[in-house]
Amino acid sequence: EGVESVTFPKGWELSTENGSIHQSSFRKLLLSRVFRPELMDTAAKEFVASIFGKEFFNQVEDPHLDQLVRVETRPGTPLLLVTFPGYDASVRVMNLARTMGMDGKCTALAMGSPEGFSQADTAINVAAKRGHWVLLKNVHLAPSWLSSLEKRIHRIEPNQNFRVFMTMEVNPRVPANLVRMSNVVIFEPPRGLKSSMVRIFNALPQQRVDRAPAERSRLYFLLAWLHSVILERLRYAPVGWTKTFEFSEADQRCAMDAIDEWVDKTSAGRLNVRPEMLPWDAIQTSLEKII
Protein backbone atom coordinates (compact mmCIF):
# COMPACT_ATOMS: atom_id res chain seq x y z
CA GLU A 1 0.00 0.00 0.00
CA GLY A 2 1.43 3.35 -1.03
CA VAL A 3 0.84 6.86 0.18
CA GLU A 4 -1.10 7.77 -2.94
CA SER A 5 -3.70 5.03 -2.25
CA VAL A 6 -4.37 6.26 1.31
CA THR A 7 -7.29 8.62 1.90
CA PHE A 8 -6.02 11.64 3.85
CA PRO A 9 -8.14 14.28 5.60
CA LYS A 10 -9.06 17.18 3.34
CA GLY A 11 -8.39 20.87 3.84
CA TRP A 12 -4.63 20.80 4.44
CA GLU A 13 -3.59 21.09 0.78
CA LEU A 14 -1.93 24.26 -0.48
CA SER A 15 -2.98 25.93 -3.68
CA THR A 16 -0.46 26.92 -6.32
CA GLU A 17 -0.77 30.54 -5.21
CA ASN A 18 -0.26 29.84 -1.50
CA GLY A 19 2.49 27.25 -1.53
CA SER A 20 4.68 24.87 -3.51
CA ILE A 21 4.40 21.18 -4.22
CA HIS A 22 7.29 20.63 -1.79
CA GLN A 23 5.30 22.11 1.07
CA SER A 24 2.30 19.96 0.19
CA SER A 25 4.50 16.85 0.13
CA PHE A 26 5.94 17.78 3.50
CA ARG A 27 2.47 18.19 4.98
CA LYS A 28 1.54 14.78 3.63
CA LEU A 29 4.69 13.44 5.31
CA LEU A 30 3.59 14.90 8.66
CA LEU A 31 0.11 13.44 8.30
CA SER A 32 1.60 10.04 7.51
CA ARG A 33 3.67 10.26 10.68
CA VAL A 34 0.58 10.96 12.79
CA PHE A 35 -2.06 8.72 11.20
CA ARG A 36 -0.12 6.00 9.32
CA PRO A 37 3.42 5.68 10.75
CA GLU A 38 3.93 2.40 8.88
CA LEU A 39 3.92 4.42 5.64
CA MET A 40 6.66 6.83 6.75
CA ASP A 41 9.35 5.26 4.55
CA THR A 42 7.22 5.57 1.43
CA ALA A 43 6.07 9.08 2.32
CA ALA A 44 9.63 10.22 2.98
CA LYS A 45 10.75 8.79 -0.37
CA GLU A 46 7.98 10.65 -2.19
CA PHE A 47 8.91 13.86 -0.39
CA VAL A 48 12.56 13.55 -1.43
CA ALA A 49 11.51 12.69 -5.00
CA SER A 50 9.34 15.82 -5.18
CA ILE A 51 12.42 17.96 -4.45
CA PHE A 52 15.31 16.16 -6.15
CA GLY A 53 13.40 14.13 -8.74
CA LYS A 54 12.80 10.39 -9.00
CA GLU A 55 16.22 9.81 -10.60
CA PHE A 56 17.84 10.87 -7.35
CA PHE A 57 17.39 7.34 -5.93
CA ASN A 58 19.19 5.79 -8.90
CA GLN A 59 22.41 7.69 -8.23
CA VAL A 60 25.04 5.33 -6.83
CA GLU A 61 28.18 7.35 -7.49
CA ASP A 62 30.82 7.29 -4.81
CA PRO A 63 32.04 10.52 -3.23
CA HIS A 64 34.73 12.23 -5.29
CA LEU A 65 37.59 11.85 -2.85
CA ASP A 66 40.10 13.44 -5.19
CA GLN A 67 38.18 16.71 -5.29
CA LEU A 68 37.59 16.55 -1.55
CA VAL A 69 41.30 16.13 -0.90
CA ARG A 70 42.53 18.73 -3.40
CA VAL A 71 39.95 21.49 -3.00
CA GLU A 72 37.85 21.15 0.12
CA THR A 73 40.38 19.89 2.68
CA ARG A 74 43.08 21.94 4.34
CA PRO A 75 46.30 20.39 5.69
CA GLY A 76 45.08 20.66 9.29
CA THR A 77 41.65 19.17 8.59
CA PRO A 78 41.38 15.38 9.02
CA LEU A 79 39.23 13.30 6.68
CA LEU A 80 37.02 11.01 8.73
CA LEU A 81 35.76 8.06 6.67
CA VAL A 82 32.86 6.35 8.44
CA THR A 83 32.31 2.81 7.19
CA PHE A 84 29.68 0.12 7.61
CA PRO A 85 30.02 -3.66 7.17
CA GLY A 86 30.48 -4.41 3.49
CA TYR A 87 32.61 -1.38 2.67
CA ASP A 88 36.36 -0.80 2.97
CA ALA A 89 37.25 2.87 2.68
CA SER A 90 40.97 2.35 3.25
CA VAL A 91 41.28 0.78 -0.20
CA ARG A 92 39.87 3.95 -1.75
CA VAL A 93 42.49 6.03 0.03
CA MET A 94 45.36 3.83 -1.18
CA ASN A 95 44.00 3.91 -4.76
CA LEU A 96 43.69 7.69 -4.54
CA ALA A 97 47.29 7.94 -3.33
CA ARG A 98 48.45 6.07 -6.45
CA THR A 99 46.42 8.25 -8.83
CA MET A 100 47.59 11.49 -7.18
CA GLY A 101 51.27 10.54 -7.19
CA MET A 102 51.43 9.91 -3.42
CA ASP A 103 52.23 6.21 -3.76
CA GLY A 104 55.07 5.53 -1.35
CA LYS A 105 54.25 8.71 0.56
CA CYS A 106 51.15 7.34 2.32
CA THR A 107 51.67 5.57 5.65
CA ALA A 108 48.86 3.22 6.72
CA LEU A 109 48.59 2.17 10.37
CA ALA A 110 46.06 0.01 12.23
CA MET A 111 45.00 1.46 15.57
CA GLY A 112 43.98 -0.41 18.70
CA SER A 113 47.24 -1.03 20.58
CA PRO A 114 49.75 1.18 22.45
CA GLU A 115 52.37 0.35 19.80
CA GLY A 116 50.04 1.71 17.15
CA PHE A 117 49.60 4.94 19.12
CA SER A 118 53.33 5.68 19.24
CA GLN A 119 53.75 4.77 15.56
CA ALA A 120 50.87 7.05 14.62
CA ASP A 121 52.35 9.97 16.57
CA THR A 122 55.70 9.53 14.82
CA ALA A 123 54.11 9.14 11.38
CA ILE A 124 52.01 12.30 11.81
CA ASN A 125 55.02 14.37 12.87
CA VAL A 126 57.11 13.17 9.92
CA ALA A 127 54.30 13.49 7.39
CA ALA A 128 53.42 17.02 8.54
CA LYS A 129 56.98 18.15 7.81
CA ARG A 130 57.41 16.31 4.50
CA GLY A 131 53.91 16.77 3.08
CA HIS A 132 52.99 13.08 3.13
CA TRP A 133 49.72 11.31 3.93
CA VAL A 134 48.79 9.26 6.99
CA LEU A 135 45.98 6.69 6.98
CA LEU A 136 44.79 5.60 10.44
CA LYS A 137 42.51 2.55 10.33
CA ASN A 138 39.82 1.70 12.89
CA VAL A 139 40.35 4.76 15.06
CA HIS A 140 37.11 3.97 16.92
CA LEU A 141 39.18 1.39 18.83
CA ALA A 142 41.26 4.20 20.38
CA PRO A 143 38.85 6.92 21.61
CA SER A 144 41.18 8.11 24.39
CA TRP A 145 44.07 8.58 21.95
CA LEU A 146 41.83 10.56 19.59
CA SER A 147 41.52 13.31 22.21
CA SER A 148 45.28 13.84 22.13
CA LEU A 149 45.25 13.71 18.32
CA GLU A 150 42.83 16.63 18.24
CA LYS A 151 45.23 18.76 20.31
CA ARG A 152 48.24 17.63 18.28
CA ILE A 153 46.65 18.67 14.97
CA HIS A 154 45.90 22.12 16.39
CA ARG A 155 49.56 22.61 17.40
CA ILE A 156 51.38 21.47 14.25
CA GLU A 157 52.21 23.71 11.28
CA PRO A 158 51.88 21.21 8.44
CA ASN A 159 53.09 21.19 4.86
CA GLN A 160 50.42 22.10 2.31
CA ASN A 161 50.37 18.51 0.98
CA PHE A 162 49.90 16.93 4.40
CA ARG A 163 46.65 14.96 4.89
CA VAL A 164 45.31 12.72 7.67
CA PHE A 165 42.74 10.06 6.79
CA MET A 166 40.93 8.10 9.47
CA THR A 167 38.57 5.16 9.02
CA MET A 168 36.10 4.20 11.73
CA GLU A 169 32.80 2.53 12.46
CA VAL A 170 29.99 4.43 14.12
CA ASN A 171 30.93 4.74 17.79
CA PRO A 172 29.57 7.23 20.36
CA ARG A 173 32.91 7.25 22.21
CA VAL A 174 34.66 9.10 19.38
CA PRO A 175 35.26 12.71 20.56
CA ALA A 176 32.60 15.04 19.19
CA ASN A 177 35.10 17.87 18.71
CA LEU A 178 37.20 15.71 16.40
CA VAL A 179 34.13 14.94 14.29
CA ARG A 180 33.26 18.64 14.06
CA MET A 181 36.73 19.66 12.90
CA SER A 182 36.92 16.88 10.28
CA ASN A 183 35.49 16.45 6.81
CA VAL A 184 33.20 13.45 7.30
CA VAL A 185 32.39 11.00 4.49
CA ILE A 186 30.05 8.07 5.16
CA PHE A 187 30.45 4.88 3.14
CA GLU A 188 27.77 2.20 3.23
CA PRO A 189 26.64 -0.58 0.90
CA PRO A 190 23.84 0.52 -1.46
CA ARG A 191 20.36 -0.88 -0.96
CA GLY A 192 19.05 -3.22 -3.62
CA LEU A 193 20.66 -5.56 -6.12
CA LYS A 194 20.66 -3.06 -8.98
CA SER A 195 22.30 -0.26 -7.00
CA SER A 196 24.92 -2.63 -5.61
CA MET A 197 25.86 -4.03 -9.03
CA VAL A 198 26.01 -0.57 -10.60
CA ARG A 199 28.35 0.63 -7.85
CA ILE A 200 30.62 -2.40 -8.30
CA PHE A 201 31.04 -1.78 -12.03
CA ASN A 202 31.45 1.97 -11.54
CA ALA A 203 34.40 1.24 -9.25
CA LEU A 204 36.05 -1.18 -11.69
CA PRO A 205 38.69 0.28 -14.02
CA GLN A 206 37.61 0.02 -17.65
CA GLN A 207 40.98 -1.47 -18.60
CA ARG A 208 40.41 -4.40 -16.23
CA VAL A 209 36.95 -5.18 -17.59
CA ASP A 210 38.14 -5.00 -21.23
CA ARG A 211 41.04 -7.41 -20.75
CA ALA A 212 40.98 -10.53 -22.90
CA PRO A 213 39.42 -13.01 -22.98
CA ALA A 214 35.86 -11.70 -23.31
CA GLU A 215 34.61 -14.30 -20.83
CA ARG A 216 36.43 -12.45 -18.04
CA SER A 217 33.84 -9.66 -17.97
CA ARG A 218 31.02 -12.23 -17.85
CA LEU A 219 32.60 -13.84 -14.81
CA TYR A 220 32.87 -10.39 -13.23
CA PHE A 221 29.15 -9.95 -13.82
CA LEU A 222 28.36 -13.27 -12.11
CA LEU A 223 30.60 -12.34 -9.18
CA ALA A 224 28.97 -8.90 -8.89
CA TRP A 225 25.55 -10.55 -8.80
CA LEU A 226 26.70 -13.00 -6.09
CA HIS A 227 28.28 -10.20 -4.06
CA SER A 228 25.12 -8.07 -4.30
CA VAL A 229 22.88 -10.97 -3.26
CA ILE A 230 25.04 -11.70 -0.21
CA LEU A 231 25.11 -8.06 0.90
CA GLU A 232 21.34 -7.76 0.50
CA ARG A 233 20.72 -11.00 2.36
CA LEU A 234 22.86 -9.86 5.28
CA ARG A 235 20.25 -7.18 6.00
CA TYR A 236 17.78 -9.86 7.06
CA ALA A 237 19.93 -11.86 9.50
CA PRO A 238 19.00 -14.05 11.33
CA VAL A 239 16.25 -14.72 8.78
CA GLY A 240 18.62 -15.03 5.82
CA TRP A 241 21.43 -16.60 7.90
CA THR A 242 21.62 -17.56 11.55
CA LYS A 243 24.41 -15.02 12.09
CA THR A 244 25.93 -12.05 10.30
CA PHE A 245 28.96 -12.71 8.09
CA GLU A 246 31.38 -9.97 7.09
CA PHE A 247 31.52 -10.08 3.31
CA SER A 248 33.12 -6.82 2.32
CA GLU A 249 34.55 -5.08 -0.71
CA ALA A 250 37.93 -6.59 0.14
CA ASP A 251 36.45 -10.08 -0.33
CA GLN A 252 35.06 -9.02 -3.69
CA ARG A 253 38.46 -7.73 -4.76
CA CYS A 254 40.18 -10.98 -3.71
CA ALA A 255 37.56 -12.98 -5.61
CA MET A 256 38.25 -10.97 -8.78
CA ASP A 257 41.97 -11.54 -8.37
CA ALA A 258 41.32 -15.29 -8.07
CA ILE A 259 39.18 -15.23 -11.22
CA ASP A 260 41.91 -13.35 -13.08
CA GLU A 261 44.50 -15.94 -12.10
CA TRP A 262 42.43 -18.91 -13.28
CA VAL A 263 41.28 -17.19 -16.48
CA ASP A 264 44.81 -16.11 -17.42
CA LYS A 265 46.11 -19.66 -16.95
CA THR A 266 43.32 -21.11 -19.06
CA SER A 267 43.25 -18.56 -21.87
CA ALA A 268 47.02 -18.44 -22.44
CA GLY A 269 46.65 -15.12 -24.25
CA ARG A 270 43.69 -16.11 -26.45
CA LEU A 271 40.86 -13.63 -27.09
CA ASN A 272 38.12 -16.15 -26.29
CA VAL A 273 37.80 -19.27 -24.17
CA ARG A 274 35.09 -21.91 -24.44
CA PRO A 275 33.03 -21.97 -21.20
CA GLU A 276 33.63 -25.71 -20.72
CA MET A 277 37.40 -25.06 -20.63
CA LEU A 278 37.12 -22.79 -17.58
CA PRO A 279 37.97 -24.47 -14.25
CA TRP A 280 34.52 -24.02 -12.71
CA ASP A 281 35.18 -26.40 -9.83
CA ALA A 282 38.39 -24.59 -8.88
CA ILE A 283 36.73 -21.15 -9.07
CA GLN A 284 33.76 -22.33 -7.03
CA THR A 285 36.00 -23.93 -4.39
CA SER A 286 38.12 -20.78 -4.12
CA LEU A 287 35.08 -18.58 -3.60
CA GLU A 288 33.23 -20.99 -1.31
CA LYS A 289 35.99 -22.37 0.90
CA ILE A 290 38.65 -19.65 0.93
CA ILE A 291 37.09 -16.26 0.22
Side-chain angles (χ1 to χ4, degrees):
E1 186 180 16
V3 177
E4 294 297 335
S5 62
V6 177
T7 302
F8 284 94
K10 303 294 183 181
W12 56 269
E13 301 90 344
L14 292 174
S15 62
T16 307
E17 294 79 11
N18 295 330
S20 66
I21 187 175
H22 311 322
Q23 292 173 314
S24 297
S25 299
F26 185 69
R27 288 191 173 189
K28 184 182 291 187
L29 180 64
L30 297 179
L31 288 172
S32 300
R33 179 67 180 87
V34 175
F35 296 105
R36 299 295 299 272
E38 71 275 10
L39 297 178
M40 270 298 295
D41 289 345
T42 305
K45 186 174 181 179
E46 291 187 5
F47 172 65
V48 173
S50 69
I51 298 176
F52 297 103
K54 294 183 179 180
E55 294 299 324
F56 176 79
F57 296 98
N58 296 327
Q59 297 178 6
V60 292
E61 296 182 359
D62 287 338
H64 297 287
L65 283 182
D66 54 346
Q67 181 179 356
L68 184 63
V69 172
R70 289 192 182 101
V71 181
E72 303 180 26
T73 302
R74 296 177 300 173
T77 303
L79 272 81
L80 191 60
L81 311 178
V82 183
T83 60
F84 288 79
Y87 213 99
D88 185 10
S90 62
V91 177
R92 301 302 175 96
V93 176
M94 301 307 295
N95 291 338
L96 180 64
R98 283 190 289 269
T99 58
M100 295 184 62
M102 299 298 292
D103 194 16
K105 300 180 181 179
C106 181
T107 303
L109 298 171
M111 308 303 296
S113 64
E115 294 80 7
F117 302 160
S118 59
Q119 292 176 358
D121 290 335
T122 303
I124 290 175
N125 291 334
V126 173
K129 296 178 182 179
R130 300 180 179 179
H132 292 182
W133 290 2
V134 178
L135 171 61
L136 306 178
K137 303 178 183 180
N138 301 323
V139 295
H140 61 280
L141 301 177
S144 57
W145 179 81
L146 290 178
S147 300
S148 63
L149 173 65
E150 176 189 351
K151 301 175 183 178
R152 179 185 299 274
I153 292 178
H154 277 299
R155 290 196 302 264
I156 62 176
E157 296 182 0
N159 185 288
Q160 289 299 313
N161 295 324
F162 171 67
R163 296 292 186 275
V164 175
F165 301 85
M166 296 180 290
T167 66
M168 60 165 283
E169 296 180 3
V170 177
N171 191 324
R173 298 178 60 191
V174 174
N177 290 335
L178 181 64
V179 177
R180 294 191 189 100
M181 67 180 292
S182 305
N183 286 336
V184 182
V185 182
I186 299 178
F187 294 90
E188 61 179 341
R191 292 184 178 271
L193 296 180
K194 177 182 177 182
S195 298
S196 182
M197 293 185 69
V198 170
R199 172 172 285 188
I200 290 173
F201 280 100
N202 282 343
L204 277 177
Q206 188 65 35
Q207 297 82 357
R208 181 169 189 173
V209 179
D210 292 340
R211 286 175 56 194
E215 287 72 20
R216 186 193 309 271
S217 60
R218 299 170 189 174
L219 289 174
Y220 284 168
F221 179 85
L222 294 176
L223 178 64
W225 178 83
L226 174 63
H227 182 79
S228 302
V229 169
I230 292 176
L231 290 185
E232 193 66 18
R233 193 171 178 179
L234 287 175
R235 300 183 188 277
Y236 302 99
V239 177
W241 283 303
T242 56
K243 60 181 180 179
T244 300
F245 297 91
E246 289 191 5
F247 194 80
S248 64
E249 191 174 314
D251 298 307
Q252 170 206 321
R253 188 172 60 256
C254 292
M256 287 188 173
D257 292 341
I259 289 176
D260 285 341
E261 183 176 355
W262 286 110
V263 170
D264 290 339
K265 288 182 179 179
T266 305
S267 64
R270 292 190 293 267
L271 297 180
N272 293 95
V273 177
R274 294 198 306 272
E276 58 270 18
M277 294 181 58
L278 293 173
W280 293 106
D281 293 338
I283 295 176
Q284 180 179 354
T285 302
S286 299
L287 299 182
E288 180 181 353
K289 303 296 183 182
I290 302 175
I291 301 177

